Amino acid sequence: MTAAARSILGDRSLVRDVGALGLAVFAVSISFGAIAVAAGIPAGLTILMSLVVFAGGSQFLAVGLIAAGNPFAAVFAGLLLNARHLPFGLAIGEVIGTRWWQRLLGAHLLVDESVAFALAQPDPVRRRHAYWATGCTLFVLWNIGAVLGVLLGNVGDPDRLGLDAAFPAGLFALLLPTLKDPTTRLVALTGALVAVVTTPILPAGLPVLMALSGLLLVALPRRRPSSEPSS
């Protein structure tokens, strides 16, 4: 066992949080495998998609569009939905590592949860451990769950079971400590408002990108308190 693995296993809070999120991912992936097969997608293609794509939202979206007979729209929608990974990559580029294999593998493990867990940590070492622990755990559980879903058949819609709320709830819990900063809180609330307003009128994926407009508030000049000359 490497020193990094021992350090990760020794961090009980990180293991607990990643494990809890991993259980939710596992349940959703079982549902994905079952729904994909029920939609007429071959079992081998369903498993390959989970291994190569590894993006829950894009995979569910692709299954729906492929089942509707529009595979080209599935590819385009997946690219559009995952465009948010571009700013994610800029935010955690140094966390992944500097070696070519670290960047190659780390880019494949880049999902909302691994980025959120990494950025929630207070120092660079913990960020790196959190990123790799989260990414590897979710990748393994997602693919095992997808295979089980293919074998078990239709187990139901994750939205109906309430599992769709597990990811937003987990990410929000991670972001709560950072919202103590007034600037961060203003950016987050602005982005959330933009996403909510644009969701009914924009295609899936675009509201998330539009929410990044909240970052523009950081570039605005801040008003400094005027200093009066002392008498």
Side-chain angles (χ1 to χ4, degrees):
M1 183 182 296
T2 64
R6 288 195 298 268
S7 178
I8 292 172
L9 294 176
D11 191 338
R12 294 184 178 180
S13 61
L14 178 61
V15 172
R16 182 190 64 241
D17 294 342
V18 173
L21 187 61
L23 291 177
V25 168
F26 182 67
V28 174
S29 64
I30 294 175
S31 181
F32 165 75
I35 291 174
V37 172
I41 298 178
L45 182 57
T46 299
I47 296 172
L48 181 63
M49 185 190 302
S50 290
L51 287 169
V52 176
V53 178
F54 183 47
S58 297
Q59 291 180 224
F60 276 107
L61 181 61
V63 167
L65 291 175
I66 292 175
N70 200 339
F72 295 103
V75 174
F76 176 76
L79 292 174
L80 181 63
L81 186 60
N82 286 331
R84 68 189 188 280
H85 288 181
L86 294 176
F88 285 175
L90 295 176
I92 50 89
E94 296 181 355
V95 173
I96 294 177
T98 57
R99 299 178 181 178
W100 68 268
W101 63 267
Q102 291 175 327
R103 291 188 176 275
L104 182 63
L105 180 58
H108 191 54
L109 299 178
L110 193 155
V111 291
D112 298 349
E113 295 80 11
S114 60
V115 172
F117 267 67
L119 296 181
Q121 307 306 314
D123 60 80
V125 175
R126 283 179 59 88
R127 289 191 190 103
R128 185 174 299 109
H129 290 171
Y131 182 85
W132 285 100
T134 306
C136 291
T137 300
L138 298 191
F139 180 80
V140 171
L141 291 178
W142 177 267
N143 284 281
I144 291 176
V147 173
L148 287 177
V150 169
L151 297 176
L152 293 176
N154 194 357
V155 295
D157 187 348
D159 291 0
R160 182 173 57 84
L161 298 175
L163 295 173
D164 57 315
F167 303 116
L171 293 177
F172 182 70
L174 287 172
L175 292 174
L176 275 178
T178 65
L179 296 180
K180 296 178 181 179
D181 177 67
T183 302
T184 303
R185 186 164 58 246
L186 179 61
V187 169
L189 291 176
T190 302
L193 179 62
V194 171
V196 170
V197 171
T198 56
T199 293
I201 58 178
L202 293 179
L206 277 183
V208 178
L209 295 178
M210 293 297 295
L212 295 175
S213 61
L215 295 173
L216 296 176
L217 297 176
V218 179
L220 295 178
R222 298 182 182 181
R223 180 181 300 176
R224 298 181 178 180
S226 58
S227 58
E228 298 180 358
S230 58
S231 56

